[in-house]
């Protein structure tokens, strides 16, 4: 029963209450107040039905996130979206639809990748979201985290074959 009441469409009752409130402005105070109260109750009920959507919309406009939720770094979102179509030591190609869809991330990502030890070039093809990285494998592998990253990318490329 509560589920049915929760989903009850309120468009027609709210319209009747609002028209009734306006129509009774000159007729009588009690009738006008009655329609106004009905309109207010229906409006609050309607708000209660849609409170989660309204809260999400307000949060989206204000740029906030849910309490306790981590804000996701755009770079991490891009990294999670990469596919590895090609890999040989010293040269790797990555593809990401997110990279193609967000050209404002391309130059900062190229600059960021080129700041790593051993990375020679990082070139993005904006139309396809393809990222070609050339690097010196021996120099890159001196950093344990970068060596692990290279190994993981090599494994992803093998899985694709």
């Amino acid at each position: 029963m509560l589920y049915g009441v929760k989903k009850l469409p309120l468009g027609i009752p709210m319209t009747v209450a609002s028209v009734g409130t306006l129509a009774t402005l000159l007729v009588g105070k009690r009738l006008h107040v009655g329609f106004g109260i009905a309109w207010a109750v229906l409006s609050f009920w309607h708000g209660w039905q849609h409170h989660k959507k309204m809260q999400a919309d307000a949060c989206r406009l204000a740029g906030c996130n849910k309490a306790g939720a981590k804000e996701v770094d755009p770079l991490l979102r891009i990294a999670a979206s990469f596919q590895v179509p090609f890999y040989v030591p010293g040269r790797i190609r990555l593809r990401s639809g997110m990279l193609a869809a967000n050209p404002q991330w391309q130059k900062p990502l190229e600059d960021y990748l080129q700041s790593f030890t051993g990375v020679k070039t990082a070139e993005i093809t904006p139309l396809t979201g393809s990222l070609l990285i050339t690097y010196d494998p021996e120099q890159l592998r001196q950093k344990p985290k970068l060596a692990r990253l290279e190994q993981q990318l090599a494994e992803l490329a093998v899985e694709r074959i």
Side-chain angles (χ1 to χ4, degrees):
M1 177 66 185
L2 182 60
Y3 180 78
V5 171
K6 199 173 184 180
K7 297 290 185 180
L8 183 68
L10 297 175
I12 293 174
M14 284 181 67
T15 303
V16 169
S18 61
V19 168
T21 301
L22 294 174
T24 58
L25 273 172
L26 302 173
V27 176
K29 188 174 184 177
R30 285 185 179 194
L31 199 54
H32 175 70
V33 169
F35 273 106
I37 290 171
W39 189 13
V41 168
L42 290 169
S43 295
F44 282 117
W45 188 0
H46 188 253
W48 174 71
Q49 284 180 329
H50 299 286
H51 74 279
K52 287 184 182 175
K53 182 184 181 322
M54 291 177 2
Q55 184 178 21
D57 290 344
C59 202
R60 192 169 0 107
L61 287 173
C64 62
N65 59 1
K66 292 181 181 177
K70 281 187 175 179
E71 189 98 8
V72 178
D73 181 13
L75 188 60
L76 293 176
R77 289 193 341 223
I78 289 175
S81 72
F82 277 126
Q83 298 171 344
V84 186
F86 177 79
Y87 165 81
V88 294
R91 183 178 175 95
I92 186 164
R93 182 171 302 278
L94 306 170
R95 286 201 200 300
S96 171
M98 285 185 68
L99 195 54
N102 295 287
Q104 72 275 15
W105 294 343
Q106 293 171 359
K107 180 68 173 141
L109 182 58
E110 284 177 345
D111 294 342
Y112 177 70
L113 291 171
Q114 289 176 1
S115 72
F116 284 99
T117 303
V119 174
K120 295 176 185 174
T121 64
E123 299 171 5
I124 295 174
T125 306
L127 186 61
T128 61
S130 175
L131 168 61
L132 177 63
I133 303 170
T134 58
Y135 60 95
D136 178 358
E138 295 307 316
Q139 196 176 8
L140 181 110
R141 292 175 187 154
Q142 290 175 3
K143 302 283 185 177
K145 288 183 180 180
L146 293 178
R148 272 197 310 269
L149 177 61
E150 179 191 27
Q151 181 61 38
Q152 290 172 341
L153 293 172
E155 289 169 9
L156 287 172
V158 169
E159 288 175 11
R160 192 167 158 78
I161 296 175

